[in-house]
Amino acid sequence: MNRTLNLVLAGITSFGLTFSAHAEDYITLASTTSTENSGLFGSILPKFEDATGIEVRVVAVGTGQAFEIARRGDADSLLVHDTAGEQRFVENGFASERADVMYNDFVLIGPADDPANIRKAQSAAEAFAAIAKAEALFASRGDDSGTNRAELRLWENAGVEPDGDWYRELGSGMGQTLNTAAAMDAYVMSDRATWVAFENPQNLKLLFSGDRSMFNQYGSLLLSEEKHPHLKHDLAKQWHNWLISEDGQQAIADFKVDGQQLFFPNAK
């Protein structure tokens, strides 16, 4: 009886240790709504997990919120798209390393009849100025995301301080903002990946793109071991290194929606 009981207890203990170890084989990644809404993570995370056995649990928020989550030590890794903000994050000691991972671009979406006539704009600044001059409805994320930060820089480049009833700050993610813009028949700026994957365009069309100022770079950051020693730095480094490895870069390149590549790997 005692021998049997000991074997049972040993099995339970062994199972418990195995379960606990498995439960720890994950990281929390603070990232953007664009990487989630586009379907990118649904495509590449299984490949990373198959290669390493590490699960990645994504918290998809605006870039500003992602920075704050990482700053508090509530995420193990960070993948965002605000290069200037990322560099400051490193300079301020919250991250030890930053690497380019991939890029795409921002696009201007609007009503098919294009009341501000931005189809004929020669630059992003001209397109934004035309929207302001026409006081055409514009839906802004208004959430301190990487897209929102880029949008505000583009208004500044156009010499416009957006204000008034025509400019609607929503405080929502990219997918929800596109849904609201479609319902309002409003102009909106989106990352190309989320727009291509968006399934409810209604009367909205892609009206302007291609300006160099609308380049959209994504970066991965290794968080500070000194500030947050409790984080899973070893596992996070495996994720970071995989993203910029040949396998990770190929996985990003292979992700397509309706045959269209949405992110372009550019790790150095």
Side-chain angles (χ1 to χ4, degrees), residues 7-226:
L7 287 171
V8 171
L9 289 174
I12 292 171
T13 303
S14 175
F15 178 80
L17 287 171
T18 302
F19 179 81
S20 298
H22 178 73
E24 290 302 310
D25 286 344
Y26 74 88
I27 59 169
T28 300
L29 171 67
S31 191
T32 70
T33 60
S34 58
T35 46
E36 180 76 5
N37 291 344
S38 64
L40 174 71
F41 283 144
S43 176
I44 71 170
L45 291 187
K47 297 176 182 179
F48 171 72
E49 292 167 13
D50 285 347
T52 64
I54 301 168
E55 179 187 355
V56 179
R57 301 179 182 178
V58 179
V59 179
V61 292
T63 287
Q65 290 175 275
F67 279 136
E68 184 56 34
I69 289 169
R71 192 176 288 113
R72 294 196 307 263
D74 291 334
D76 301 295
S77 190
L78 189 60
L79 178 64
V80 287
H81 61 145
D82 177 23
T83 302
E86 294 158 29
Q87 290 168 344
R88 286 194 299 272
F89 204 75
V90 174
E91 291 165 3
N92 291 333
F94 291 103
S96 58
E97 182 180 320
R98 180 207 168 273
D100 286 342
V101 172
M102 61 192 181
Y103 70 91
N104 59 15
D105 64 337
F106 294 112
V107 294
L108 271 173
I109 312 300
D113 61 354
D114 190 16
N117 200 27
I118 69 170
R119 279 192 181 94
K120 296 184 178 179
Q122 298 300 306
S123 67
E126 186 179 327
F128 276 82
I131 292 169
K133 183 177 180 180
E135 295 191 351
L137 276 178
F138 187 95
S140 170
R141 284 182 60 169
D143 63 348
D144 194 34
S145 61
T147 301
N148 184 222
R149 292 180 180 193
E151 177 217 313
L152 294 176
R153 288 194 296 270
L154 289 164
W155 285 118
E156 186 177 0
N157 291 347
V160 174
E161 187 172 342
D163 194 15
D165 291 341
W166 61 274
Y167 185 72
R168 308 290 177 85
E169 293 183 276
L170 304 179
S172 57
M174 194 68 256
Q176 188 177 344
T177 298
L178 283 169
N179 270 317
T180 303
M184 294 166 54
D185 214 22
Y187 289 96
V188 60
M189 190 177 93
S190 172
D191 66 282
R192 186 182 293 270
T194 306
W195 167 249
V196 170
F198 184 57
E199 296 180 345
N200 182 37
Q202 298 186 51
N203 189 43
L204 297 184
K205 302 292 182 184
L206 195 162
L207 300 176
F208 181 87
S209 64
D211 191 296
R212 292 179 67 179
S213 65
M214 299 176 80
F215 180 78
N216 182 27
Q217 177 69 53
Y218 289 80
S220 173
L221 289 90
L222 288 176
L223 302 183
S224 169
E225 294 189 39
E226 182 179 349

